Amino acid sequence: MFRSFFKFLKNNSLLGLSLLGLSSSAFAGDAAMLKPDDFVGITFWLISIALTASTAFFFLERDRVSAKWKTSLTVSGLVTLVAAVHYFYMRDIWVSTGTTPTVYRYIDWLITVPLLMIEFYLILSAITKVSNGVFWRLLIGTVVMLAGGYAGEAGYADVTTAFIVGLLGWAYILYEIFAGEAGKISASKAPASVQSAFNLMRLIVTFGWAIYPLGYYFGYLTGQDPASSAANLNVIYNLADVLNKIAFGVIIWSVAVSESK
Ligand SMILES: *C/C=C(C)/C=C/C=C(C)/C=C/C1=C(C)CCCC1(C)C
């Protein structure tokens, strides 16, 4: 289903579109100057550029891998592209106001986390038949997790209750990839290389993703005023994105390249 959708998006048009989208967002807002002592702002800046470069990398590398891996690289590139565009906006908000760009952050997650779920599904489908139910269950967990987090961060719900709802959504995702249908498929049918990629991805969803609730905790639940802990929150979320978007894509890229030899 996803495969056929991406099939007609050819390499060059993807890169062209990315550059177009990025160049327009690079000038979003009345860009305040980055100050040399604004370390959180510097992380926003570094990551927005790293995401842009990663996007070009994943799209160009599609040429090197065999057909069944191309969609996975396309999805990795889309994840970094969507995030790069949001990072240009988030960076401007942080640099010019010093406040947390919550709404852009969550719109970004709402698109990129389901794309990462599609990635799981694609890796499994590259080697065996997988029911669509796997994808939908992972998506439900994602929506609950993000709805909880957003309600808490944007002030629609009590920060602690919202945090617990978010944690339950994440727990459901972990259940599905360790003990549910997705977990069983990968344990029984996959060749060794795919199994190790799947295990690595599970580690990412467990430990890499655990960094986000830590950010939330240090941003909202330490008893400090959230305005004064905004720097902690943003620096933790930013580092988490490097791992979970760029490093995650690189893992898939390296499996795809070695499986294509
Ligand atoms: C590319 C962006 C990614 C992979 C974002 C992932 C976000 C999470 C895993 C967020 C998790 C949260 C909880 C588990 C509890 C509630 C607060 C959240 C939304 C930060």
Side-chain angles (χ1 to χ4, degrees):
M1 160 170 71
F2 302 111
R3 208 170 285 276
S4 50
F5 169 69
F6 290 121
K7 216 159 138 191
F8 60 83
L9 293 173
K10 283 270 159 30
N11 244 359
N12 293 336
S13 55
L14 268 175
L15 253 184
L17 276 173
S18 324
L19 293 177
L20 203 73
L22 288 170
S23 58
S24 62
S25 61
F27 302 104
D30 25 28
M33 289 294 166
L34 180 62
K35 303 205 175 43
D37 62 348
D38 178 2
F39 292 106
V40 180
I42 293 171
T43 66
F44 272 111
W45 199 287
L46 282 171
I47 295 167
S48 58
I49 307 303
L51 285 164
T52 308
S54 307
T55 304
F57 178 77
F58 293 135
F59 287 160
L60 290 169
E61 288 290 303
R62 286 177 89 254
D63 286 346
R64 280 182 64 199
V65 302
S66 59
K68 68 176 182 181
W69 288 103
K70 287 191 194 296
T71 313
S72 297
L73 288 196
T74 304
V75 174
S76 295
L78 291 176
V79 167
T80 53
L81 171 63
V82 169
V85 172
H86 284 94
Y87 262 81
F88 282 110
Y89 285 93
M90 295 200 290
R91 185 182 78 190
D92 277 356
I93 291 171
W94 178 267
V95 167
S96 53
T97 68
T99 60
T100 299
T102 303
V103 68
Y104 290 102
R105 182 82 79 183
Y106 274 83
I107 292 172
D108 171 55
W109 289 354
L110 194 61
I111 301 170
T112 53
V113 178
L115 282 170
L116 293 171
M117 292 307 178
I118 291 175
E119 199 82 274
F120 266 102
Y121 181 84
L122 287 173
I123 297 268
L124 288 177
S125 329
I127 40 127
T128 184
K129 201 177 152 22
V130 188
S131 78
N132 282 341
V134 171
F135 171 73
W136 292 112
R137 283 194 297 276
L138 291 172
L139 191 66
I140 288 169
T142 300
V143 169
V144 172
M145 177 177 88
L146 296 181
Y150 187 69
E153 290 202 50
Y156 291 110
D158 169 62
V159 280
T160 311
T161 316
F163 186 57
I164 292 168
V165 172
L167 286 175
L168 289 174
W170 180 41
Y172 184 60
I173 295 170
L174 289 173
Y175 170 80
E176 176 60 30
I177 61 176
F178 280 96
E181 191 187 340
K184 290 194 189 102
I185 291 167
S186 120
S188 56
K189 303 221 182 87
S193 60
V194 175
Q195 241 171 62
S196 65
F198 192 73
N199 285 338
L200 253 169
M201 292 198 295
R202 291 214 271 222
L203 289 180
I204 286 212
V205 174
T206 311
F207 298 105
W209 287 24
I211 303 170
Y212 296 96
L214 278 180
Y216 187 106
Y217 177 83
F218 286 108
Y220 300 98
L221 299 174
T222 55
Q224 257 188 306
D225 169 20
S228 69
S229 44
N232 298 338
L233 176 82
N234 284 287
V235 92
I236 297 173
Y237 281 171
N238 287 359
L239 291 175
D241 278 347
V242 173
L243 187 67
N244 295 298
K245 295 189 166 70
I246 300 178
F248 186 89
V250 169
I251 289 172
I252 289 159
W253 165 79
S254 74
V255 176
V257 168
S258 67
E259 284 289 297
S260 300
K261 285 209 178 95

